Amino acid sequence: SLRPGSTRQSRKAHFAMAGKVVSAAELEQHKAPGDLWMAVDGDVYDVSKFAKIHPGGAQILEEYGGKDVTEAFYEMHRKDVLTKYSKLKIGRMEGAPAPAAHVPGEITAVPFAELPAFQGQNSPY
């Protein structure tokens, strides 16, 4: 039998949550510091705790919390970032089309670095 908090039970709970269907109204409710959800490509991510360590700072995540951020996300990140942080995925948007196939290592024009202005630094431009 599993004890509460055991790794096996935690993983099972995570996978059950990752199968959750999220409505637009429910997504919209999670837009406060400490309670941030975002949708990218129809997948919903809980970035509440991640915001503290986000390289671009928590402020940008708080600004976009509770929304579909697909376009803004891909302006600054590669698809590989979603793979790296897949444990943050908690569900899928209601009515979202099937996800597009991704080829690992696929070449993309998205830069690896965040703009200094998004990190609170002065922009040279």
Side-chain angles (χ1 to χ4, degrees):
S1 87
L2 294 173
R3 295 181 324 258
S6 73
T7 303
R8 183 186 261 165
Q9 186 174 11
S10 297
R11 283 188 194 153
K12 189 175 181 180
H14 168 76
F15 289 118
M17 183 71 154
K20 175 179 176 65
V21 175
V22 179
S23 69
E26 184 177 5
L27 179 66
E28 166 71 21
Q29 293 174 0
H30 299 276
K31 59 182 179 183
D35 183 21
L36 295 169
W37 290 10
M38 297 177 171
V40 178
D41 285 338
D43 291 324
V44 179
Y45 297 86
D46 182 344
V47 296
S48 304
K49 293 178 182 176
F50 175 73
K52 296 174 189 169
I53 62 168
H54 181 246
Q59 183 179 5
I60 192 74
L61 296 181
E62 291 167 5
E63 181 180 329
Y64 285 99
K67 300 176 184 170
D68 182 329
V69 298
T70 303
E71 188 174 322
F73 178 86
Y74 286 118
E75 287 177 359
M76 298 299 298
H77 303 85
R78 295 169 52 105
K79 179 86 172 175
D80 300 349
V81 173
L82 296 176
T83 303
K84 181 177 180 180
Y85 293 104
S86 63
K87 65 182 179 267
L88 301 179
K89 181 179 170 185
I90 59 169
R92 187 128 179 97
M93 290 299 296
E94 185 176 52
H102 170 64
V103 179
E106 184 177 24
I107 296 179
T108 176
V110 179
F112 284 97
E114 308 279 333
L115 295 173
F118 288 160
Q119 298 176 7
Q121 302 172 14
N122 290 331
S123 172
Y125 304 104

